[in-house]
Amino acid sequence: MHRIVPNAAKRLLSLSCCLVLAGSLHAQELLYGDEFNDNEKEWFTGESSDGAANGEIEDGIYRMTYTGDGYRYFYQNVDLPVDRNWSIEIRMRQKEGKVDHGYGLLWNGQDADNMYEFIVTHDGYCRIARWKEGERQDIVPWRKVRGLNPVGEWNTLEVRRTNDALTCFVNGTPNVMFPYSYYRIFGNKIAPIVHEERTVDIDWIRVKASDMAPVSVAEGVDTNVRPRNLGPNINAKSDELVDCFTADGQVLYFSRGSHPENVGKELRRDVWMSTRQRDGSWSKAVNLGKPINNEGHNFAIAITPDQNMMLLQNQYDAKGEFLGEGMSITYRTATGWSMPKNQTIENFYNYASVLNSYLAPDGTTLIMTCERDDSKGGQDLYVLFRKNDSTWTAPSNLGSTINTTGAETAPFIAADGRTLYFASYGHPGYGGYDVFMSRRLDDTWMKWSTPINLGKGINTDEHDSFLYIPAQGDSAYFSTQKDTYGESDIVSVPVPPSLRPNPVFLVSGRVLNAETKQPLAAAIRYERLSDGKDVGIARSHPSDGRYKVSLPSGQVYGVRAEAEGFYPMAEQFDAKSLDKYTQVDRDLYLTPIKENVAIRLNNVFFDSGKWDLRPESHPELDRLASFLRTSAVSIELAGHTDNIGSDADNLQLSQNRVNSVRNYLVEKGIPASRLVAKGYGESRPLASNDDEAGRQNNRRVEFMIVKR
């Protein structure tokens, strides 16, 4: 890695006159500017006392030449406002000299021993560093710079403060940044700076300021609420960050760094787990061990509502060791978690030193934090979509409503699939990372409401991030660096109604063989019946067949189980008018595919007394048509009613309804010769007709394989 090491003993400070600007400032006000048409601002010119530096202004160019082996700067004094946004821009080019060192901008300087610098090099590296009492600290170490023109060409460098984000740009491209409030201000010196032997031209320099946007806080936030620490069973002197919860909020998975019981080196992170006890306390955390934890950094991105699939950050080799950045999936088996299976992300790259993500409850959409060519600042939030069991689309930037010139990280999609929580220091906040909320406005995942700050009940002047809200929606859990046992602790806080996600159905049950009533391992898929679009996937546990899915409000859903050798059975769940969190238990039965066994089509709908198929019936019948195209069997379609009305009317109604189903299948290309439609009226009830539940069970359409 390229390095520049100044020689502190030979550093010299060349002085110029002081220029202090004061007065009322307005949005985009120019605080200071010079195009070097003259030397009215009295920049240093001539030769320094040691003969190592020279400055001259000619033809609108300020030329700095340095022949030493430390660094040199010529400065002006400009008071940068502490309560406004500001920027420093300078247009520079390296003319000649050593090519293995750099040049750039100095700001907040007090003297040669106390200042900040943004440096770029000819061979494509940049960094942010601060000098404190003569010692250099790399805030952002050397990294590849984007957008830099080569030696001899002009480059515009900018240091910009926006809210709590300080971002450094090269020709308009953001490259490095950090939280502004985390570093003290030394003084008011700004300057072009050169390292080692080189000649640098300066075309112009400008300092501007603008008003900050106010912090936008949701209604109903109680600023007197104080988070409750989850206690020593979870929080230690180490660093704890929330990874994910189970949807019911009963099991917490979190990553822990700097802990002596971690599988890898002590400074690496491992995934740990704790379970909520009956009294509301949390059990002593347990390290998940191998294969999930190894010598690398380990994180749990999300666990599906059924608790049977976990998405992990990073990839694993065949022996379960760290392979590199990316994602992998592990499944719950009868004996524990499976060896993680690596996922492929199309066109994946990440310039940032960290990567974190969250899997939406539907299991098919991922929000990822990374830094790429189209990032607005540092780490941005991107969306990825599952293409198949092992491949995801290339990351797509969520856009400037969500992403800023600072950094966005720690995304969480609530159980409703629409409410996004994330941490940022680029949006207006209280210092460091704050947690924000935004709601998805359409199904593209690219349109979002303006983020709102979760307020001082959650956000502090320290880093607050990795917020998670279980499906019930009334409590939040997050990581904070404020008043902790160690570096970061996990705490909880009540969530006011204005910040809660939309209510959901949390549906759980078992997948069972309809004949033997034995549990089955199956894929669980749920779809919107309005258009037949799959909106989520899950799995049932291989040992007991248990599953769990989260269904957002506003739709009617079909939930079906799929297993080889069985016909996929679906159940209907109406969440259109859902106005509060609701738990529902419903077993899913799978019928073996064999002759003379009746298979119920649960999601075939007719208006009362009519036989025209309602549109929400199409997904169920499209699956039946697909099954018939691939299996070449012949079936009998059977229609049944309850006992309301006359026998003759019910017989005719059932016949008309199965005729409608038969006609739909023929329109889908199934030969009529393979379809028999027969109405049975009220003659074959499955339950008593004495109550509505029984009558509903009796009103049904079935099919039966009569020839294979």
Side-chain angles (χ1 to χ4, degrees):
M1 182 68 73
H2 184 96
R3 290 286 188 272
I4 298 175
V5 183
N7 185 334
K10 295 185 178 181
R11 281 183 280 127
L12 297 173
L13 178 62
S14 297
L15 301 178
S16 73
C17 73
C18 296
L19 178 63
V20 180
L21 299 181
S24 175
L25 299 180
H26 304 282
Q28 291 298 310
E29 182 178 356
L30 182 68
L31 299 185
Y32 179 89
D34 201 339
E35 297 186 359
F36 302 108
N37 294 320
D38 51 41
N39 197 16
E40 182 181 352
K41 303 294 176 63
E42 299 185 13
W43 287 87
F44 175 85
T45 56
E47 189 173 278
S48 62
S49 59
D50 65 350
N54 182 272
E56 59 178 312
I57 294 178
E58 184 177 357
D59 297 329
I61 299 295
Y62 182 32
R63 178 162 295 158
M64 296 175 60
T65 300
Y66 182 51
T67 58
D69 59 357
Y71 62 78
R72 188 63 58 92
Y73 60 88
F74 303 148
Y75 73 88
Q76 298 281 320
N77 285 349
V78 179
D79 288 323
L80 300 174
V82 297
D83 56 354
R84 302 184 75 197
N85 294 328
W86 51 260
S87 69
I88 308 168
E89 288 183 279
I90 189 168
R91 190 168 187 248
M92 308 176 72
R93 68 182 174 191
Q94 179 176 323
K95 290 288 291 180
E96 57 186 25
K98 285 187 175 180
V99 294
D100 57 347
H101 289 82
Y103 62 91
L105 262 172
L106 175 155
W107 75 97
N108 280 351
Q110 175 180 308
D111 50 39
D113 291 331
N114 298 277
M115 64 181 187
Y116 294 80
E117 63 175 5
F118 170 44
I119 299 297
V120 298
T121 70
H122 86 287
D123 54 350
Y125 287 87
C126 65
R127 77 171 181 210
I128 303 177
R130 76 166 177 171
W131 292 86
K132 182 179 180 182
E133 298 176 357
E135 297 294 328
R136 193 193 78 221
Q137 174 193 9
D138 285 345
I139 299 173
V140 180
W142 290 110
R143 55 171 292 175
K144 275 289 188 180
V145 64
R146 291 174 288 152
L148 184 69
N149 293 323
V151 172
E153 296 186 17
W154 290 104
N155 287 290
T156 299
L157 309 184
E158 180 184 6
V159 176
R160 183 192 306 172
R161 179 198 177 181
T162 307
N163 302 314
D164 203 38
L166 193 140
T167 310
C168 297
F169 296 80
V170 177
N171 297 319
T173 300
N175 274 275
V176 286
M177 62 289 303
F178 63 89
Y180 181 75
S181 64
Y182 268 54
Y183 294 88
R184 59 170 288 188
I185 298 172
F186 295 125
N188 62 356
K189 291 179 172 59
I190 65 168
I193 184 171
V194 296
H195 282 255
E196 304 289 337
E197 299 179 19
R198 72 194 59 254
T199 296
V200 172
D201 286 349
I202 303 158
D203 190 21
W204 47 258
I205 184 170
R206 299 167 188 151
V207 183
K208 300 177 183 178
S210 60
D211 292 331
M212 290 183 177
V215 179
S216 176
V217 181
E219 295 181 0
V221 172
D222 184 356
T223 58
N224 295 317
V225 169
R226 292 295 176 264
R228 180 178 64 87
N229 195 295
L230 295 195
N233 280 351
I234 289 177
N235 297 312
K237 292 183 179 180
S238 50
D239 177 27
E240 287 81 28
L241 298 176
V242 177
D243 281 358
C244 55
F245 276 76
T246 54
D248 58 12
Q250 298 303 302
V251 183
L252 162 64
Y253 295 89
F254 64 97
S255 62
R256 173 179 271 173
S258 302
H259 195 279
E261 295 179 25
N262 279 357
V263 171
K265 297 178 181 178
E266 185 174 327
L267 295 180
R268 303 287 185 176
R269 306 191 70 87
D270 273 10
V271 181
W272 291 64
M273 181 190 76
S274 177
T275 303
R276 189 194 301 271
Q277 308 300 292
R278 289 187 177 182
D279 63 359
S281 64
W282 292 90
S283 66
K284 186 173 178 59
V286 176
N287 188 300
L288 291 191
K290 294 186 175 183
I292 290 176
N293 292 322
N294 55 31
E295 292 291 329
H297 285 299
N298 305 116
F299 306 87
I301 295 175
I303 188 165
T304 51
D306 55 42
Q307 305 181 38
N308 294 321
M309 183 189 81
M310 186 183 290
L311 194 63
L312 305 173
Q313 200 74 72
N314 297 326
Q315 296 197 330
Y316 295 67
D317 65 16
K319 295 181 179 179
E321 297 304 325
F322 175 79
L323 183 63
E325 276 192 336
M327 296 188 303
S328 54
I329 286 180
T330 179
Y331 296 100
R332 193 185 295 276
T333 70
T335 57
W337 291 102
S338 67
M339 180 67 71
K341 179 181 178 182
N342 293 334
Q343 301 285 287
T344 298
I345 301 173
E346 296 177 343
N347 189 30
F348 176 73
Y349 61 90
N350 175 33
Y351 296 130
S353 59
V354 296
L355 180 75
N356 57 71
S357 312
Y358 193 80
L359 181 69
D362 62 12
T364 65
T365 309
L366 188 87
I367 301 295
M368 175 179 285
T369 293
C370 55
E371 185 179 347
R372 295 166 62 85
D373 288 333
D374 61 347
S375 291
K376 312 300 179 185
Q379 302 166 71
D380 277 6
L381 299 189
Y382 290 77
V383 63
L384 296 75
F385 301 102
R386 185 194 293 272
K387 298 184 70 173
N388 53 49
D389 286 345
S390 61
T391 306
W392 297 75
T393 62
S396 296
N397 193 293
L398 291 190
S400 56
T401 299
I402 297 294
N403 295 314
T404 68
T405 58
E408 282 67 46
T409 189
F412 163 67
I413 292 289
D416 65 0
R418 306 195 75 84
T419 308
L420 168 67
Y421 302 85
F422 64 96
S424 170
Y425 58 76
H427 291 282
Y430 303 106
Y433 280 106
D434 276 9
V435 182
F436 296 83
M437 183 199 74
S438 175
R439 299 193 194 271
R440 181 164 57 88
L441 302 179
D442 65 12
D443 289 340
T444 67
W445 289 78
M446 302 305 291
K447 294 182 180 180
W448 297 86
S449 65
T450 301
I452 56 176
N453 191 293
L454 269 58
K456 288 188 175 181
I458 290 177
N459 292 317
T460 69
D461 56 355
E462 297 286 350
H463 286 326
D464 306 289
S465 59
F466 291 97
L467 180 137
Y468 188 100
I469 299 178
Q472 192 163 346
D474 57 356
S475 295
Y477 299 82
F478 64 99
S479 297
T480 183
Q481 292 185 349
K482 190 77 170 180
D483 301 328
T484 60
Y485 296 129
E487 184 175 346
S488 289
D489 279 3
I490 299 173
V491 298
S492 68
V493 68
V495 180
S498 61
L499 292 175
R500 294 177 186 175
N502 298 320
V504 298
F505 257 130
L506 191 63
V507 181
S508 60
R510 297 174 298 165
V511 179
L512 302 172
N513 184 317
E515 288 189 344
T516 66
K517 304 302 185 290
Q518 293 299 306
L520 292 172
I524 313 294
R525 299 184 185 274
Y526 43 108
E527 63 192 356
R528 287 192 306 242
L529 292 183
S530 60
D531 59 7
K533 180 180 178 181
D534 277 351
V535 292
I537 59 174
R539 293 166 66 96
S540 64
H541 193 281
S543 296
D544 57 15
R546 298 208 66 83
Y547 78 95
K548 189 173 291 184
V549 296
S550 174
L551 305 178
S553 60
Q555 298 288 337
V556 179
Y557 298 94
V559 178
R560 69 185 186 275
E562 298 178 352
E564 188 173 354
F566 295 82
Y567 188 80
M569 298 289 288
E571 293 283 348
Q572 177 195 358
F573 297 89
D574 188 350
K576 260 191 173 180
S577 56
L578 188 70
D579 60 0
K580 64 180 180 179
Y581 171 73
T582 304
Q583 290 185 339
V584 179
D585 289 320
R586 186 81 59 86
D587 291 341
L588 302 178
Y589 292 92
L590 284 177
T591 303
I593 299 175
K594 57 184 181 181
E595 292 184 15
N596 301 317
V597 175
I599 299 175
R600 182 167 179 159
L601 299 173
N602 287 320
N603 290 331
V604 175
F605 307 102
F606 307 91
D607 289 329
S608 177
K610 298 182 179 180
W611 51 86
D612 293 330
L613 287 165
R614 284 164 44 186
E616 54 264 43
S617 305
H618 296 170
E620 183 82 88
L621 296 181
D622 288 343
R623 273 193 300 277
L624 178 56
S626 178
F627 167 71
L628 292 172
R629 280 192 291 269
T630 58
S631 61
V633 299
S634 296
I635 64 171
E636 177 189 288
L637 294 162
H640 304 272
T641 68
D642 57 29
N643 68 349
I644 304 300
S646 69
D647 291 355
D649 287 345
N650 285 335
L651 185 64
Q652 187 61 52
L653 178 62
S654 65
Q655 185 64 55
N656 289 340
R657 285 180 170 178
V658 291
N659 286 344
S660 294
V661 173
R662 181 177 183 271
N663 292 339
Y664 184 90
L665 294 173
V666 170
E667 291 175 1
K668 292 296 181 178
I670 307 304
S673 60
R674 294 169 52 196
L675 306 171
V676 175
K678 187 171 179 60
Y680 290 92
E682 61 188 73
S683 64
R684 296 185 178 183
L686 294 177
S688 170
N689 282 300
D690 293 339
D691 55 46
E692 177 54 31
R695 290 191 293 271
Q696 183 176 351
N697 197 24
N698 291 330
R699 298 190 296 264
R700 67 197 187 278
V701 174
E702 299 171 334
F703 78 91
M704 182 169 58
I705 298 172
V706 295
K707 183 179 179 181
R708 300 192 73 169

